[in-house]
Amino acid sequence: MSNLMGKYYYNLGMLFSEVVRAHAQLPALRYASIEHSYSELQSWTEKLAKALLDNGLRPGDVIAIGHNKQPLSYALMLAAIKIGIVYVNVDIASPLARNSRILEVSGAKAVFYDDAEGAAAMTQLAEAGDCALVSLSYETLPEVSATDLARQLDLVTKVDGASIAYIMFTSGSTGTPKGVAVTHQNVLHFIAWGQSRFKITEEDNFANLSPMYFDNSVFDFYVALFSGASLSPVNRDLMTKPYDLVAYIGQMRCTIWFSVPSLLIYLMAMKAMNPQILSTLKHIVFGGEGYPKVELKKLHSLFSEQATLVNVYGPTECTCICSAYDLSEKDFAELQGLPPLGQLNQNFDYRILDEGDRDAVEGELCLIGPNVAAGYFNDLERSVASFITITEPGRFMKRMYRTGDLVRSEHGTLFFVGRKDNQIKHMGYRIELEEIEQALSKLAKVNQAAVVYHRTNSAYGKLIGFVASSFELDEKILLGALSEFLPNYMIPSSVIIMRDLPKNPNGKVDRHQLRALVAK
């Protein structure tokens, strides 16, 4: 449940309605040339909720949104959660094969898109998934009657806290993306934490830098719009223009910045980050991958007088962020390694388990509490393997998620040590190397494939693919063919072609030898 103005709400639709009542005329969405109030956003939400119901969608159904940060896509997310429909945001630039698997796993009944840029890709996707296709348009929004509003209000009251709000897809080790099913209760707890941790007020303006299909966007969307603050969507084109991007964030007078470290490192390298231009920033928040302290020191030296730098951590399976750590000068007494993860958010419990599943000071971090997601949507086998119901008396019947992240605890403060599997973080995205290997193995004349992550220095890393083949293969053709199966951020920077891949005594591919090859 969430508390706003002393009242309690057990679903997101109820909470958003109260936010609108309290902040109706304040800006919710801010663009360079126009602002949209909470009242406008609520009006679109009501009309889209009617459109969903008129199209035969019912509570529990799933819709896919090709979200390119247009106002109606944000309103559609709100409309869906209001009446108990589950949404999943998809990347319009992702390969058809991957998006089709997302539709298949989620069971989406309709595909929506918000501008002409995504029309062709979303049309293909809807046809491949045999789904209805809907273009979001102000002109086609239906009128809403008092009867329609009464029906929506009735549906809102029937959405309980355990209902799924959204599905967020991440890379899967079997080659199929995993859909993390996040509940209304999960998000309500997260919103309450975000409001308190960052002291959010109606004066705050969030820079919505992350794409909406990426986990980090959950913080921007929910903590901003469910607190009466405003959200400034950042178009993907700006992300490749460092000086224009920073100028835009400054122009919009954003107070909250949340991005992956890769973006901040890039902007610092381009000398684009400017405290004078970004004079309104109060918090620079980063997460999704490690931020080497040798690089982070540069950002801290530039902004420490005006903004708090916050390192956050959290898997998608535990609702975006589980810990937050404020950086200070003492953290740079030595510059090796990564900053601390800090202490877990309130309302979280955890265990650190060694290889024998015994409690330890260093081992796998296992998260417990109401921010643990419901599981992997329509995937019972993988859910059972990672989401555990505890039966010991002290934590009887609590849900626990095995993160696969190895951490060390020092006086209650957590430090990241590594991974227990082949999952890596690259450009902020969580990637299972096996998914890339599966894609490589699908290519003609490839007998076997392996992928390693090679960190070229403390700040940058790259994916290197290896394939075994008895034929002469062209690296450029292989990389081009991968675009049919993988999004750009998962395509290796190079592929090394070999007659056979090295094996260890157990007959498995020897990744240590492969890493040694690229390290030379």
Side-chain angles (χ1 to χ4, degrees):
M1 294 189 293
S2 186
N3 184 325
L4 180 74
M5 300 171 62
K7 299 179 181 179
Y8 287 90
Y9 306 93
Y10 58 84
N11 67 48
L12 292 163
M14 294 174 65
L15 175 57
F16 186 71
S17 292
E18 184 61 39
V19 171
V20 172
R21 278 192 284 272
H23 304 89
Q25 301 312 312
L26 292 180
L29 297 173
R30 289 182 170 179
Y31 295 86
S33 59
I34 192 169
E35 293 184 351
H36 299 293
S37 69
Y38 274 93
S39 179
E40 282 182 278
L41 188 57
Q42 175 76 325
S43 176
W44 295 329
T45 296
E46 291 167 351
K47 291 178 179 181
L48 286 166
K50 173 177 169 56
L52 290 170
L53 294 169
D54 286 350
N55 279 280
L57 290 155
R58 295 293 179 264
D61 287 343
V62 179
I63 61 170
I65 310 173
H67 200 313
N68 210 19
K69 297 188 176 179
Q70 299 301 312
L72 288 185
S73 283
Y74 294 104
L76 181 58
M77 293 165 67
L78 293 165
I81 59 178
K82 177 181 182 178
I83 58 177
I85 289 172
V86 183
Y87 71 82
V88 53
N89 288 318
V90 297
D91 179 8
I92 62 173
S94 203
L96 176 62
R98 195 168 195 269
N99 277 342
S100 294
R101 289 294 291 142
I102 288 174
L103 249 62
E104 181 183 348
V105 172
S106 67
K109 293 190 173 181
V111 174
F112 294 78
Y113 66 97
D114 59 15
D115 69 12
E117 182 181 338
M122 294 299 98
T123 299
Q124 279 187 305
L125 179 60
E127 290 175 350
D130 194 25
C131 287
L133 178 68
V134 183
S135 172
L136 294 171
S137 165
Y138 297 104
E139 291 74 23
T140 59
L141 291 178
E143 291 301 316
V144 180
S145 68
T147 302
D148 293 322
L149 291 177
R151 183 186 182 192
Q152 291 179 26
L153 180 60
D154 179 60
L155 288 173
V156 170
T157 62
K158 293 176 179 175
V159 178
D160 63 60
S163 298
I164 307 302
Y166 67 83
I167 307 169
M168 186 72 68
F169 277 83
T170 68
S171 180
S173 60
T174 63
T176 299
K178 297 180 291 190
V180 180
V182 180
T183 70
H184 283 248
Q185 175 185 251
N186 293 154
V187 184
L188 288 169
H189 283 286
F190 177 65
I191 291 168
W193 169 81
Q195 291 171 340
S196 173
R197 179 62 172 76
F198 295 97
K199 297 179 173 60
I200 303 303
T201 73
E202 62 189 33
E203 302 295 324
D204 281 305
N205 182 22
F206 286 61
N208 181 201
L209 293 151
S210 297
M212 298 305 292
Y213 59 83
F214 182 38
D215 186 39
N216 284 7
S217 68
V218 170
F219 175 76
D220 305 332
F221 175 75
Y222 281 104
V223 179
L225 295 185
F226 286 73
S227 304
S230 57
L231 187 68
S232 289
V234 178
N235 187 283
R236 71 171 70 202
D237 293 340
L238 270 182
M239 302 301 286
T240 59
K241 302 171 182 176
Y243 306 105
D244 292 346
L245 171 61
V246 170
Y248 181 76
I249 301 301
Q251 174 192 342
M252 301 307 292
R253 299 187 62 77
C254 294
T255 60
I256 309 287
W257 172 300
F258 181 32
S259 76
V260 294
S262 300
L263 177 61
L264 288 164
I265 291 170
Y266 167 65
L267 294 173
M268 287 294 294
M270 298 299 292
K271 295 181 169 50
M273 292 295 285
N274 187 316
Q276 285 71 47
I277 295 174
L278 300 172
S279 60
T280 56
L281 282 185
K282 296 193 305 184
H283 294 283
I284 300 177
V285 187
F286 47 87
E289 62 186 344
Y291 201 147
K293 286 203 286 184
V294 67
E295 294 292 330
L296 183 54
K297 170 67 174 172
K298 302 171 187 176
L299 184 70
H300 184 264
S301 297
L302 204 58
F303 282 91
S304 60
E305 295 298 318
Q306 71 172 69
T308 303
L309 273 60
V310 187
N311 180 38
V312 300
Y313 161 82
T316 304
E317 289 85 349
C318 294
T319 322
C320 191
I321 297 174
C322 302
S323 69
Y325 179 83
D326 292 353
L327 275 297
S328 65
E329 194 63 42
K330 66 180 176 61
D331 291 298
F332 301 101
E334 59 89 21
L335 296 178
Q336 297 299 310
L338 303 172
L341 301 180
Q343 297 183 344
L344 289 185
N345 305 347
Q346 296 92 336
N347 217 14
F348 260 106
D349 189 9
Y350 72 97
R351 296 179 69 185
I352 299 175
L353 300 179
D354 64 17
E355 292 183 357
D357 280 351
R358 297 176 294 265
D359 289 299
V361 173
E362 182 171 318
E364 182 183 10
L365 178 62
C366 299
L367 295 167
I368 304 167
N371 275 32
V372 175
Y376 296 120
F377 199 74
N378 284 338
D379 194 338
L380 183 59
E381 184 177 346
R382 284 200 282 193
S383 295
V384 168
S386 297
F387 294 87
I388 313 299
T389 299
I390 304 174
T391 56
E392 66 178 52
R395 296 184 174 98
F396 188 66
M397 300 307 287
K398 287 187 176 183
R399 294 266 289 163
M400 180 176 80
Y401 171 68
R402 302 193 71 131
T403 68
D405 290 327
L406 301 176
V407 301
R408 180 182 72 258
S409 176
E410 294 182 8
H411 308 295
T413 297
L414 301 178
F415 293 81
F416 183 75
V417 174
R419 287 287 303 177
K420 63 179 295 187
D421 54 19
N422 288 322
Q423 185 187 110
I424 57 103
K425 293 287 186 75
H426 179 56
M427 298 168 56
Y429 292 94
R430 193 173 87 181
I431 297 172
E432 301 278 1
L433 296 182
E434 289 92 342
E435 185 172 353
I436 306 174
E437 292 169 355
Q438 290 273 349
L440 280 168
S441 297
K442 292 176 182 177
L443 303 183
K445 300 178 181 178
V446 171
N447 298 329
Q448 193 174 25
V451 179
V452 300
Y453 190 61
H454 175 53
R455 189 164 287 283
T456 51
N457 57 44
S458 63
Y460 299 98
K462 56 185 179 180
L463 293 159
I464 308 293
F466 293 84
V467 299
S469 178
S470 54
F471 298 90
E472 288 189 11
L473 300 179
D474 185 289
E475 180 189 14
K476 290 184 179 178
I477 293 176
L478 290 175
L479 290 171
L482 279 179
S483 64
E484 296 182 20
F485 304 103
L486 300 172
N488 286 337
Y489 63 85
M490 292 180 70
I491 295 178
S493 59
S494 63
V495 174
I496 297 171
I497 301 161
M498 309 172 74
R499 179 68 61 176
D500 294 292
L501 300 186
K503 305 292 195 301
N504 61 26
N506 295 325
K508 296 182 179 180
V509 173
D510 193 328
R511 297 176 186 276
H512 294 293
Q513 284 195 49
L514 295 180
R515 293 190 188 96
L517 286 174
V518 298
K520 290 180 179 178

